Amino acid sequence: MSKQSSSRNDGSGRRPRSRAAAVLSAVVALVVFAFLVMEQFDVVDLGGDPAENASGGAPGEVSTEQARDQLEELRVEDEDDPPGYDRALFPHWDNGVEDNCTTRQVVLERDGEDVEADQNCQPVSGSWASPYDDEVLTDVQDVDIDHMVALKEAWRSGAHAWTTEERQSFANDLDTTQLWAVSASSNRAKGDADPADWMPPSEAVHCDYAASWIEVKHTWDLAADPDEEQALREILEGC
């Protein structure tokens, strides 16, 4: 008798729980659907766009405090410039970095505004504010992707001893602040100079520029020459 009574109680108790579970599942599904719709219309960001999430090396992400700490850890040595440098030793603009885009195209998307690209990931419209000289560019042909620490400067600072694979990783580095979208004219003016010999015309970017330079050299264990180290120290004193 007691078993039958227990069975009846279990049977009568399951139906309310099933209805509650069904209602809860419907509510959860509705909430998830609502969030997906809102993300589609840019009301919320659920972090589902790999192109946005992968660009952790955007300019301006290094704090002055971090830069000061890293500067103290840089190796300070005279430059070593052995013969044999060639840009081809630093293979750059890898293909298939994100959604079959090249490294250059990823940076153009990351640093631009209202960027639209064709099926080959090449930007066809948008605007780019060049932090070096405050120019606003609307023709992608006028935009260069600057290696914060130029390839030749890296060679002189220790990269001559790296493998080609290491130099390729350096030249396509999206994890640090190594790559900046800037005006072609400012990039050509910079060349392979270090901060002792060239700084951007726009003084507003000097602190970020110095912090970025230090971060890249610190991350890649590249040396700084004495004049370069002194110039960086003086810049940070004003930040």
Side-chain angles (χ1 to χ4, degrees):
M1 291 291 292
S2 61
K3 287 183 178 179
Q4 290 177 354
S5 174
S6 173
S7 175
R8 283 196 298 271
N9 289 339
D10 289 346
S12 63
R14 273 197 295 269
R15 283 193 292 273
R17 284 198 296 270
S18 296
R19 285 197 295 270
V23 170
L24 180 60
S25 297
V27 170
V28 170
L30 210 59
V31 170
V32 171
F33 177 76
F35 268 89
L36 290 173
V37 170
M38 288 190 289
E39 183 190 28
Q40 183 70 24
F41 289 95
D42 294 329
V43 177
V44 296
D45 181 6
L46 300 181
D49 187 346
E52 291 181 0
N53 295 332
S55 45
E61 289 190 348
V62 184
S63 69
T64 302
E65 292 74 18
Q66 177 182 330
R68 289 194 178 105
D69 291 342
Q70 291 179 340
L71 180 60
E72 298 304 323
E73 298 174 356
L74 288 186
R75 292 182 293 110
V76 180
E77 303 172 357
D78 290 333
E79 286 187 342
D80 180 13
D81 189 11
Y85 169 78
D86 192 299
R87 284 178 65 85
L89 295 172
F90 293 78
H92 48 288
W93 310 158
D94 283 353
N95 291 308
V97 178
E98 293 173 14
D99 298 328
N100 294 320
C101 301
T102 66
T103 307
R104 170 182 164 82
Q105 291 167 338
V106 169
V107 178
L108 288 170
E109 168 69 24
R110 183 195 70 189
D111 292 356
E113 292 288 338
D114 301 321
V115 178
E116 295 186 6
D118 62 21
Q119 60 184 2
N120 296 317
C121 213
Q122 178 61 21
V124 294
S125 65
S127 64
W128 292 266
S130 170
Y132 289 0
D133 50 12
D134 298 326
E135 293 287 333
V136 176
L137 311 165
T138 56
D139 185 343
V140 71
Q141 300 301 321
D142 295 330
V143 183
D144 273 6
I145 305 304
D146 178 43
H147 290 94
M148 169 55 61
V149 175
L151 305 182
K152 181 66 182 294
E153 167 66 16
W155 176 268
R156 295 190 295 252
S157 304
H160 59 83
W162 294 351
T163 64
T164 300
E165 289 73 18
E166 288 171 324
R167 288 191 287 262
Q168 181 172 5
S169 295
F170 174 79
N172 294 276
D173 180 10
L174 288 166
D175 295 323
T176 69
T177 53
Q178 163 72 331
L179 302 175
W180 293 46
V182 301
S183 67
S185 58
S186 64
N187 190 35
R188 311 297 162 77
K190 170 182 173 177
D192 61 4
D194 68 34
D197 297 318
W198 188 90
M199 286 293 291
S202 175
E203 293 185 5
V205 77
H206 281 193
C207 292
D208 284 342
Y209 187 92
S212 176
W213 183 280
I214 293 166
E215 183 212 19
V216 174
K217 285 228 164 174
H218 183 271
T219 300
W220 289 92
D221 192 27
L222 294 169
D225 67 60
D227 290 343
E228 173 189 346
E229 189 266 348
Q230 182 60 31
L232 291 166
R233 193 172 297 280
E234 290 174 358
I235 295 166
L236 291 183
E237 286 175 357
C239 297

